Amino acid sequence: MTVSLAKPAASAVPVHLIDAAGFERLSAQLPEAMRRWMQATGFRGKADSQALLPDADGRLQAVWAGVRAADDPYALSALPRTLPEGRYRLGDQGLAADAAAAALSWQLGAYSFDRYKATPRQMPELMLPRSAAAERALTVAAAIAQVRDLVNTPSEHMGPEELSDAVRAAAKAHGAKFRAVVGDALLKQNFPAIHAVGRAAARAPRLLELTWGRPKDPLLVLVGKGVCFDSGGLDIKGADGMRWMKKDMGGAAHALGLATLVMACKLPVRLQLLIPAVENAIAGNAFRPGDVFKTRKGLHIEIGNTDAEGRVILCDALAYGAEGRPELMIDLATLTGAARVALGGQLPALFCRRIELARELVDRGLTLRDPLWHLPLWRDYHASIESDIADIVNSGRGPQAGAITAALFLEDFVPAGLDWLHLDLYAWNDSSRPGRPAGGEAQTLRTLLAYLEQRFGAGRA
Ligand code: BES
Ligand code: ZN
Ligand code: ZN
């Protein structure tokens, strides 16, 4: 842990927070030498910049950290990679620090995926007095790190079975039940669409299920797209499109991360986590363009494109999840390239039948700096996924509105009246920012947790 919850050692170096607006006023109160040092080194309190101040003997006496705001979730994220190793604590000059934001931002800034690095870098340590807020922040940071790790792990080491192991481990850690329906058992237990997508891979497809909570609490279903590698199937992707498809289980990683938070925070819900885990591979028995499959719900789907595999595996999981009549069902998926074209990688697309709920979530995401953006379930576009020979087809007729037609496809498997959120996300940072290194990323996790806490009530003691 690079953040430790303990009474800070007296020798720990204080970190004072400052913002650009308050810099003039605050620096006026500093000793002349310090003020001159800041000026000489160009420190003006800009977010993510820092001043390291020496004492008379040339030892590090204090750090001034420029922040957007003290409660910013990335307030201190630039520090772990900038400061020398050692122990630090929050200082009492400048802005009043926020323990939760400090813990979260420091921990996120210290994250790196070092599974394949011979010598992981040692990070400086932030010592924070123990508090409920700081503890919760570290729980959230751990869930975000888990999502990143799962996404960053190459397909070779994160196939359907390894994903299954991760879900099983979470179940064990929180006293939840775990079950996996593997290979041909998918056909016997009526998950034909999951089987169809995953049947060509050397690694068997499966449906992973974790259940947790007390029978009388409201049912919350979380569903995540677990395509451990998306080659595109027979409609094979080009090299550029395939390059990062180890991350196509990003939705599953998010669903597991959110489920872990629900359990760790003991939200008063009954939780059902569903992850269809497959590899979209090519072999003689691969599903083909033009094939028709009967799904769990009974609807027949025509395969227009084997690269639109996410919606195919999700439709059986959504149908199954709906059978328990949940109070709320959320699915998370790296579903379409079109969502990225529309909103870019930083803004997951949110689809929701209730416009006021969508707006509430968008606002919450902006407040928490964990954003998402609402796109419409525009019913008229459903014409684009109607099939000549089956009930629907898995790829839109033209190139337009691909994220919307994918969402409309899913909607056909969610009974009317059921409260449902669909998130089409990127699960990735193309480049690095403080606290958000290039590679796997958790998106909307903090926003969704806050929403669930508000809707169902905060955790049981
Ligand atoms: N996994 C991809 C979508 C994706 C691509 C997400 C890149 C994030 C980054 C998905 O399975 C896919 O290939 N979708 C196709 C659908 C099309 C064939 C109808 C797409 O978006 O191009
Ligand atoms: Zn695909
Ligand atoms: Zn995919």
Side-chain angles (χ1 to χ4, degrees):
M1 268 290 171
T2 45
V3 175
S4 58
L5 299 184
K7 191 169 176 297
S11 60
V13 177
V15 176
H16 307 293
L17 276 55
I18 197 165
D19 59 5
F23 180 75
E24 293 299 338
R25 184 170 38 84
L26 283 161
S27 62
Q29 297 158 15
L30 294 175
E32 184 60 26
M34 280 194 190
R35 213 169 53 235
R36 231 181 276 129
W37 174 257
M38 287 188 182
Q39 199 174 20
T41 55
F43 179 76
R44 301 191 57 79
K46 197 168 148 285
D48 301 329
S49 70
Q50 51 285 131
L52 277 64
L53 298 167
D55 66 12
D57 300 323
R59 277 186 280 266
L60 182 57
Q61 182 192 52
V63 174
W64 282 83
V67 300
R68 226 165 260 98
D71 64 356
D72 184 278
Y74 304 104
L76 303 183
S77 289
L79 295 178
R81 293 170 167 280
T82 317
L83 296 180
E85 256 181 73
R87 290 166 144 188
Y88 298 83
R89 62 182 166 86
L90 292 175
D92 49 15
Q93 298 174 43
L95 302 172
D98 176 303
L104 178 66
S105 62
W106 190 285
Q107 203 67 17
L108 293 179
Y111 174 85
S112 68
F113 181 64
D114 48 23
R115 176 165 170 170
Y116 306 102
K117 296 268 191 204
T119 44
R121 224 196 98 169
Q122 289 302 308
M123 290 289 170
E125 176 184 344
L126 178 67
M127 305 186 82
L128 277 178
R130 184 172 291 278
S131 68
E135 266 173 39
R136 181 187 189 276
L138 291 186
T139 304
V140 171
I144 293 173
Q146 190 197 17
V147 173
R148 291 174 175 178
D149 282 347
L150 290 168
V151 174
N152 283 327
T153 303
S155 292
E156 178 72 4
H157 299 148
M158 188 48 63
E161 188 169 354
E162 288 85 358
L163 194 50
S164 176
D165 292 342
V167 177
R168 190 200 310 269
K172 188 158 179 239
H174 296 280
K177 282 206 188 95
F178 172 78
R179 145 179 120 108
V181 183
V182 183
D184 287 344
L186 287 167
L187 294 175
K188 286 191 210 88
Q189 297 192 37
N190 196 20
F191 297 101
I194 299 173
H195 184 269
V197 173
R199 71 187 187 192
R203 304 187 283 186
R206 55 202 78 201
L207 175 72
L208 313 174
E209 179 174 12
L210 174 156
T211 45
W212 174 89
R214 298 181 298 191
K216 65 172 183 39
D217 283 334
L219 176 61
L220 166 68
V221 176
L222 302 178
V223 181
K225 170 178 170 180
V227 176
C228 294
F229 189 75
D230 184 8
S231 72
L234 288 170
D235 285 314
I236 190 167
K237 284 181 183 293
D240 288 351
M242 206 186 298
R243 175 63 181 90
W244 298 111
M245 282 300 118
K246 69 172 183 181
K247 77 176 175 78
D248 214 20
M249 34 57 71
H254 278 73
L256 175 57
L258 189 55
T260 301
L261 286 172
V262 165
M263 295 188 290
C265 298
K266 297 193 171 64
L267 293 200
V269 296
R270 194 153 46 92
L271 173 69
Q272 182 183 30
L273 168 69
L274 296 172
I275 294 179
V278 303
E279 178 172 350
N280 190 15
I282 297 173
N285 62 338
F287 76 135
R288 314 162 189 83
D291 279 345
V292 172
F293 295 97
K294 186 174 180 180
T295 64
R296 179 177 187 90
K297 194 179 175 186
L299 285 177
H300 283 87
I301 58 173
E302 183 185 4
I303 304 302
N305 191 313
T306 62
D307 198 7
E309 82 298 336
R311 67 199 79 178
V312 178
I313 60 170
L314 286 173
C315 79
D316 274 356
L318 288 170
Y320 178 52
E323 287 165 19
R325 299 187 168 276
E327 187 112 329
L328 174 65
M329 179 152 69
I330 306 177
D331 80 74
L332 303 120
T334 51
L335 199 64
T336 69
R340 303 307 53 87
V341 173
L343 295 171
Q346 291 181 23
L347 287 174
L350 166 69
F351 295 86
C352 170
R353 289 159 168 165
R354 287 202 288 132
I355 202 159
E356 67 286 358
L357 172 53
R359 287 179 178 156
E360 184 186 336
L361 283 156
V362 170
D363 286 345
R364 204 176 272 280
L366 289 171
T367 307
L368 295 176
R369 281 198 79 200
D370 188 21
L372 69 180
W373 215 259
H374 179 206
L375 288 184
L377 288 160
W378 190 255
R379 203 59 208 169
D380 285 3
Y381 292 166
H382 195 274
S384 161
I385 52 167
E386 273 152 29
S387 161
D388 292 332
I389 64 164
D391 294 310
I392 43 171
V393 54
N394 79 329
S395 57
R397 223 177 277 281
Q400 294 185 354
I404 299 178
T405 52
L408 289 170
F409 181 98
L410 297 182
E411 192 184 11
D412 281 4
F413 297 87
V414 180
L418 197 157
D419 225 353
W420 164 61
L421 303 174
H422 160 53
L423 286 119
D424 189 338
L425 43 82
Y426 195 47
W428 196 260
N429 295 317
D430 286 325
S431 56
S432 294
R433 292 177 287 167
R436 285 158 289 182
E441 185 57 291
Q443 304 180 299
T444 74
L445 219 54
R446 290 185 295 112
T447 298
L448 290 172
L449 177 64
Y451 171 67
L452 294 178
E453 286 180 329
Q454 179 257 311
R455 174 159 174 168
F456 295 106
R460 313 192 292 263

